[in-house]
Amino acid sequence: MALFISFPTYYGPEFISKDVDLWAYWNHVPLDFSRPGKPTDNAYIESFNGRFRQECLNEHWFLSLDDAWDKVEAWRRDYNEERPHSALGNATPEEYAAQVEPRKGLPGLDLEAVINGLAYLKSC
């Protein structure tokens, strides 16, 4: 039983690798392309891109490729390791990951119910 109803992709077919296409085919997972010019199709990445642009790219002058690498890496580490995220209960991503056991799903999530729901949707 597949766990995906569809796999969302956010760029056109020219950006999809043959491996992803082959994986989707063999696992019977349709690729779901976002519509051009519709940023709400992927609000999470649009939110991240806006935050990255505002907090990192607009705040720094990059004097060289190495300088850009260092500044972007410092921002990434702050974002992924130090900064609490409201979507994670105001925990940092590292703190949240430590709270969630691998392969057990999210806290409070009934994985069996999710699988049964997906099977039902697939049968419709």
Side-chain angles (χ1 to χ4, degrees), residues 37-100:
K38 302 292 183 185
T40 55
D41 282 354
N42 188 2
Y44 293 110
I45 194 63
E46 292 300 326
S47 174
F48 171 81
N49 286 346
R51 185 166 285 119
F52 178 63
R53 188 179 315 106
Q54 182 180 15
E55 296 176 4
C56 185
L57 299 179
N58 291 347
E59 292 295 316
H60 299 288
W61 286 92
F62 302 114
L63 304 175
S64 67
L65 188 56
D66 287 335
D67 182 48
W69 181 269
D70 292 342
K71 289 174 180 170
V72 169
E73 178 63 12
W75 183 88
R76 185 197 65 78
R77 291 166 97 202
D78 175 65
Y79 187 84
N80 285 334
E81 299 170 10
E82 305 295 327
R83 180 187 306 189
H85 293 262
S86 60
L88 304 178
N90 290 318
T92 67
E94 284 189 338
E95 292 168 342
Y96 184 78
Q99 296 170 6
V100 179

Side-chain angles (χ1 to χ4, degrees), residues 26-40:
W26 286 111
N27 289 282
H28 308 287
V29 175
L31 297 175
D32 183 14
F33 293 96
S34 66
R35 299 166 295 165
K38 302 292 183 185
T40 55

Side-chain angles (χ1 to χ4, degrees), residues 118-124:
L118 291 173
Y120 170 77
L121 290 173
K122 189 174 182 180
S123 69
C124 292

